[in-house]
Amino acid sequence: MPRQRVIVITLGVMLSLFMASMESTVVATAMPTIVSQLGGLSTYSWVFSVYMLTSTTTVPLYGKLSDIYGRRPIYAIAMTLFLIGSALCGMSQSMGQLIAARAVQGLGAGGVLPLAFIIIGDLFTFEQRARIQGVFSGVWGVSSVIGPLLGGFLVDQVSWHWVFYVNIIPGLLALALVWRAWHDRPRPTSTARPKIDYLGAVLLTASVIALLIGLGSLGTSVGWVALAAAALLFIVLAYVEQRAADPVLPLTLFRQRLFAVACLHGLLAGWGMFGSASYVPLYVQAVLGTSATVAGAAIMPMMLAWVLASIVGSRLLLRVGYRTLSVIGMVLFTIGALALTQSGGAFGAPLLLGSMALMGVGMGLSIPSFLIAVQSTVPRETLGTATSTLQFSRSIGGTLGVSVMGALLSARLASGLLAVGLDPSSVSLNDLIDPIAQTADAPAFDGILRTVLASAIQGVFWLAFGAAVLALIATILAPAGQISQLAKQRSQAETEHVPPPLPIGD
């Protein structure tokens, strides 16, 4: 491919990554203000959950469609949906409208980010990816600084609606660049295209929805019915996927130890990282009484550390085994998660910032290691499916984490209010996170209520620590080996037209 086209495509992909990373930090920064104006602290987690749900369940479908129809048209569809959803979010006038718009936005996001990584995998060799990782990580670094500050500025000085409108210009530009420069490889016209596993996609979505409803309603009859329905749907999904000609969730890939461990790591690490990070701005703004800008800045150490660690880690992958690097990362991640549970003491703010930085380092060392290892192992014809499934595992972990933590937060908050003699139904929970009114002397903002909310959020952080411990255990189970060895094995297997051997274990 001509160097000029490579540069144009790279710029488009970088813009996609910039927009995706900005989305997470900007929205998290704005959420306390959005909830205070639209109402509904009880639905706080659903603004995150519905986005992650639709983006998560569509990731494998986008990967499969891109393998069949090419990256270019599928990327265009995903970006278009994302931009339409962003515009609808900005126009929302109620929490119900915002949640519905976030669902549309998530439908597009399920393709934008994984397709960006798939295109990178197609465009560059392993050695090239390791060397230019700093360029792509630099995008995350810039957005991790700009995102919270921009989100806080827009919320404090303009309007939270612009938190979503800000996606439109970079999204359109990224779409134009990739559409203009990317040309998919020619595909044999004589070979019939496999059928799309739409039934599998529907079952996967229904299973996750039932699971989220069940986990969010634990202890109630609705919750138990939803969990039973989720279990049944997952069984049917497994049955369908085993017999599908081209399954949306490739169960055969899970027979590879590396791929299975990488997905398990993604699920647990995503649970701990994205679950806790969603509630850090709420803690900083409501409990510590800061502005939206300061609350957003609390996420910056995590993102900056993630970027720096991914740059260093990708370079080290040329010399160090991916499992060694991942284990080191998850040890730091677990220490950071433990420190986060102690951030309510005398050293609350500094400890919170330090813990977020440690968790960011852990993700920056482990996520790229597993991603590049998997991409270097699977056959090229399933690269898109494998990459999107790995992304799916991390997204579903974050979705489950946010949902379960939201249910835990609501339960602990209610019990805490009862413990201090307050009826939860008589207290305006929205006032607890109202950064606009600035009525710190109002009854809803007195020290007792702040203490109750702080205790409830600390319970959320302990749940993130549990997920971090399990993610560390899963990482230790990964097979040992060098990325270069995996790539060489795949190359030999493709030459001989036989399946690549599994990575060598300890």
Side-chain angles (χ1 to χ4, degrees):
M1 182 179 295
R3 185 171 181 271
Q4 185 177 3
R5 280 175 51 199
V6 171
I7 293 175
V8 172
I9 295 169
T10 303
L11 289 174
V13 171
M14 289 171 62
L15 270 175
S16 300
L17 296 177
F18 178 82
M19 186 182 62
S21 57
M22 276 254 295
E23 175 66 16
S24 59
T25 55
V26 168
V27 174
T29 301
M31 269 309 299
T33 301
I34 293 174
V35 173
S36 71
Q37 293 187 20
L38 298 184
L41 178 59
S42 59
T43 57
Y44 181 95
S45 65
W46 273 102
V47 176
F48 296 100
S49 296
V50 73
Y51 173 86
M52 299 179 78
L53 171 65
T54 52
S55 63
T56 295
T57 54
T58 52
V59 163
L61 186 59
Y62 277 115
K64 180 62 64 178
L65 288 172
S66 73
D67 282 340
I68 297 173
Y69 296 105
R71 319 300 189 202
R72 188 167 176 254
I74 305 304
Y75 174 86
I77 292 172
M79 182 63 78
T80 301
L81 283 173
F82 180 84
L83 296 178
I84 291 173
S86 296
L88 292 175
C89 286
M91 294 185 288
S92 298
Q93 300 298 318
S94 68
M95 284 296 286
Q97 292 178 7
L98 178 61
I99 291 172
R102 286 281 282 174
V104 176
Q105 191 184 34
L107 288 175
V112 171
L113 190 57
L115 279 169
F117 286 115
I118 291 170
I119 290 173
I120 291 172
D122 281 341
L123 199 60
F124 301 105
T125 65
F126 155 66
E127 290 80 7
Q128 290 173 329
R129 273 179 281 154
R131 291 191 178 94
I132 68 169
Q133 181 64 36
V135 176
F136 296 107
S137 297
V139 175
W140 289 86
V142 172
S143 65
S144 66
V145 174
I146 294 177
L149 297 178
L150 178 61
F153 173 80
L154 291 174
V155 168
D156 291 336
Q157 305 299 328
V158 187
S159 168
W160 65 261
H161 301 275
W162 280 93
V163 165
F164 298 101
Y165 293 148
V166 76
N167 292 322
I168 295 177
I169 293 179
L172 288 173
L173 184 55
L175 175 57
L177 290 174
V178 174
W179 184 265
R180 177 69 179 85
W182 180 263
H183 294 165
D184 287 303
R185 291 190 180 97
R187 300 175 185 274
T189 56
S190 58
T191 304
R193 285 175 172 171
K195 294 182 178 179
I196 303 298
D197 184 21
Y198 292 111
L199 177 58
V202 171
L203 287 172
L204 179 62
T205 304
S207 302
V208 175
I209 291 175
L211 180 61
L212 290 178
I213 294 175
L215 293 174
S217 307
L218 285 175
T220 66
S221 57
V222 173
W224 292 119
V225 171
L227 288 176
L232 179 61
L233 286 169
F234 276 119
I235 293 173
V236 176
L237 174 64
Y239 178 84
V240 170
E241 296 303 271
Q242 286 177 349
R243 287 156 179 77
D246 204 9
V248 69
L249 193 62
L251 299 181
T252 55
L253 284 176
F254 287 94
R255 296 172 186 170
Q256 295 188 22
R257 181 176 160 194
L258 170 59
F259 185 80
V261 170
C263 289
L264 181 59
H265 164 270
L267 186 145
L268 295 169
W271 180 304
M273 182 79 265
F274 300 117
S276 58
S278 298
Y279 292 95
V280 165
L282 175 62
Y283 178 82
V284 174
Q285 193 168 346
V287 177
L288 302 184
T290 67
S291 66
T293 302
V294 175
I299 307 177
M300 288 171 56
M302 176 196 74
M303 300 300 296
L304 288 173
W306 190 332
V307 169
L308 293 175
S310 65
I311 294 173
V312 175
S314 297
R315 290 282 182 173
L316 289 176
L317 275 176
L318 296 171
R319 302 178 179 85
V320 181
Y322 65 89
R323 188 183 69 171
T324 300
L325 205 58
S326 298
V327 169
I328 292 173
M330 291 315 299
V331 168
L332 295 175
F333 182 88
T334 305
I335 294 173
L338 178 61
L340 187 61
T341 65
Q342 307 301 312
S343 58
F347 301 99
L351 190 59
L352 184 143
L353 296 177
S355 64
M356 294 300 289
L358 280 175
M359 295 175 75
V361 171
M363 295 294 276
L365 292 179
S366 60
I367 293 296
S369 298
F370 276 121
L371 175 63
I372 296 177
V374 167
Q375 288 184 333
S376 301
T377 305
V378 299
R380 295 186 186 277
E381 60 269 18
T382 60
L383 177 66
T385 303
T387 303
S388 60
T389 303
L390 190 57
Q391 174 74 17
F392 166 80
S393 69
R394 194 159 60 250
S395 298
I396 193 66
T399 304
L400 295 175
V402 170
S403 299
V404 175
M405 290 174 180
L408 178 64
L409 175 65
S410 297
R412 286 177 61 89
L413 189 58
S415 63
L417 291 173
L418 289 173
V420 297
L422 294 174
D423 181 3
S425 62
S426 66
V427 176
S428 176
L429 301 183
N430 296 327
D431 290 340
L432 287 171
I433 54 174
D434 186 357
I436 301 299
Q438 298 295 327
T439 55
D441 56 343
F445 272 86
D446 63 22
I448 295 177
L449 292 182
R450 288 179 185 261
T451 301
V452 170
L453 181 59
S455 176
I457 296 178
Q458 288 298 321
V460 167
F461 293 158
W462 274 110
L463 194 58
F465 170 68
V469 172
L470 294 177
L472 172 59
I473 295 173
T475 303
I476 295 173
L477 298 176
Q482 296 278 350
I483 296 289
S484 56
Q485 295 174 347
L486 300 180
K488 184 177 180 180
Q489 289 175 350
R490 184 182 70 174
S491 178
Q492 292 175 346
E494 290 176 343
T495 301
E496 300 169 1
H497 302 288
V498 296
L502 299 181
I504 300 173
D506 294 327

